[in-house]
Amino acid sequence: MKAKDMSNLYWFCQSVEYGGFAAASLQHKVSAPTLSRAVAQLEAQLGEKLLHRNAKLFQLTTSGNEYYQRFAPLFKQLDEQWLQLSNSQTSLTGDILVSCPEPFADYFLQQIAIEFMSTHPGVNIHIKFASDTERFFDDQIDLAVTTLPATASDLVQRKLFDSQLCLLASPNYLAKHGHPSSVEDLLQHNLLAGNTMKHWEFKQDGKTQQIPLNPKYSINSLRLTIQAACSGVGICLIPSTTASQFIEQGKLELLLSEAECQGGTTYIVWADRKLVPSRVTAFREMIFERMRQPLGFLAAISPQS
């Protein structure tokens, strides 16, 4: 087999693996027309059609399925061997794609990313804001910091830290709307949602109670949720370590202190237990190392920010 035929066969297997030319082109940074031409050349060389394809169809023929089943595992083994070899190199290179909640990037992750890239100039880090793993595979994420547990079976997660939450509102809001005297009273107030929670959960008088969220205002940013609460928009549920400075400065007041608010857990998530590029592993371990005082970055959120 000629090298060109091998290359065309590889691009055929990758196009099938990712479900189409467009998806495979994003994964490998090769144009979709290049992949389409590679498959067409392979079909011409073999003298048979491997794929039924048009604007709405991408389906293997019987022959195409046979070639894919025979050769895709061989290419996967080759990729694994190549990855193991590249992981043995001392110089780290390549891209790391990370998703995380905005405050985690603001007050923790960006500082680490800059330091990591300074130590490893061949590494590029790209951060997107998200608090779950819903688009982990679609966005080709390497590491996700999330406030919700991962549900996909092929994702690995590890807890980074727990945080206690508390209810707060500004004096102006309370003067206008009154203080809630029970968890049920929250249903009559303007609530601010800063994440993807569907409800707030509390323990009061030995009972667990859930308050469904129909927020007055929602924004997936802890910093901006706090700003909205300080402006008198409504009641927020935020980490206690963050809340203390706003309480001390009189910007927010603690509510329902007798009710135990649900705790928040933050996880770090990655794919595949074995085949993780060395640059991703090194960055992940650096995050673990710096999380020895896990809640420090939350306390750093400034009342003026």
Side-chain angles (χ1 to χ4, degrees):
M1 176 180 283
K2 297 179 181 179
K4 186 175 182 180
D5 296 333
M6 181 70 75
S7 177
N8 290 340
L9 181 59
Y10 176 77
W11 290 129
F12 161 72
C13 290
Q14 290 301 295
S15 298
V16 175
E17 177 78 17
Y18 291 99
F21 298 132
S25 70
L26 289 174
Q27 178 68 24
H28 291 284
K29 297 181 174 59
V30 176
S31 71
T34 297
L35 300 180
S36 179
R37 284 194 297 271
V39 172
Q41 290 170 2
L42 181 63
E43 289 174 328
Q45 175 68 20
L46 297 174
E48 53 187 328
K49 196 170 188 62
L50 303 178
L51 284 170
H52 297 298
R53 55 196 184 275
N54 56 40
K56 297 183 179 180
L57 181 66
F58 188 91
Q59 184 177 355
L60 284 167
T61 65
T62 301
S63 296
N65 183 63
E66 182 177 355
Y67 276 97
Y68 177 73
Q69 296 298 330
R70 283 176 178 266
F71 290 101
L74 299 179
F75 283 122
K76 185 175 182 180
Q77 292 177 17
L78 183 61
D79 284 342
E80 291 175 357
Q81 294 296 322
W82 180 262
L83 183 58
Q84 290 174 9
L85 178 63
S86 65
N87 281 349
S88 68
Q89 305 301 315
T90 57
S91 178
L92 301 180
T93 60
D95 293 340
I96 301 176
L97 276 68
V98 183
S99 67
C100 70
E102 182 184 1
F104 193 84
D106 278 350
Y107 303 100
F108 182 78
L109 193 60
Q110 175 160 287
Q111 180 180 351
I112 292 181
I114 292 171
E115 183 179 340
F116 190 85
M117 290 185 292
S118 178
T119 305
H120 306 285
V123 172
N124 309 309
I125 296 176
H126 311 280
I127 298 175
K128 297 183 177 182
F129 293 152
S131 57
D132 55 38
T133 55
E134 183 176 348
R135 292 192 56 82
F136 189 97
F137 295 105
D138 290 341
D139 291 344
Q140 303 172 31
I141 301 299
D142 294 305
L143 291 173
V145 178
T146 172
T147 56
L148 297 174
T151 56
S153 60
D154 44 358
L155 290 178
V156 183
Q157 71 179 22
R158 176 172 166 183
K159 185 173 73 173
L160 277 180
F161 60 86
D162 292 316
S163 58
Q164 186 60 44
L165 305 178
C166 62
L167 287 166
L168 299 144
S170 71
N172 289 339
Y173 174 86
L174 296 172
K176 184 176 180 180
H177 298 276
H179 288 67
S181 58
S182 67
V183 170
E184 291 87 348
D185 285 351
L186 293 174
L187 294 171
Q188 309 304 319
H189 282 268
N190 296 337
L191 304 183
L192 309 180
N195 50 37
T196 54
M197 289 182 181
K198 295 181 179 180
H199 61 263
W200 288 350
E201 185 173 299
F202 303 88
K203 289 184 179 179
Q204 188 176 27
D205 300 327
K207 298 180 181 179
T208 298
Q209 298 172 280
Q210 291 184 348
I211 300 299
L213 275 181
N214 183 22
K216 174 71 173 179
Y217 179 63
S218 64
I219 185 168
N220 196 21
S221 164
L222 176 61
R223 174 172 54 85
L224 296 179
T225 297
I226 293 172
Q227 282 187 3
C230 291
S231 298
V233 179
I235 297 174
C236 65
L237 182 69
I238 66 173
S240 300
T241 50
T242 302
S244 59
Q245 59 184 305
F246 295 92
I247 295 172
E248 291 171 2
Q249 296 194 13
K251 293 178 177 292
L252 296 173
E253 293 184 19
L254 182 65
L255 305 177
L256 299 178
S257 58
E258 71 281 3
E260 181 183 344
C261 301
Q262 68 193 98
T265 301
T266 298
Y267 307 88
I268 187 166
V269 180
W270 62 95
D272 204 311
R273 297 179 182 275
K274 295 180 180 179
L275 299 177
V276 180
S278 55
R279 62 184 179 275
V280 176
T281 299
F283 188 53
R284 184 186 70 204
E285 293 305 314
M286 187 174 184
I287 293 173
F288 289 149
E289 175 69 20
R290 298 300 172 83
M291 290 303 295
R292 289 180 176 176
Q293 297 179 339
L295 298 182
F297 81 92
L298 290 174
I301 298 178
S302 167
Q304 289 79 32
S305 61

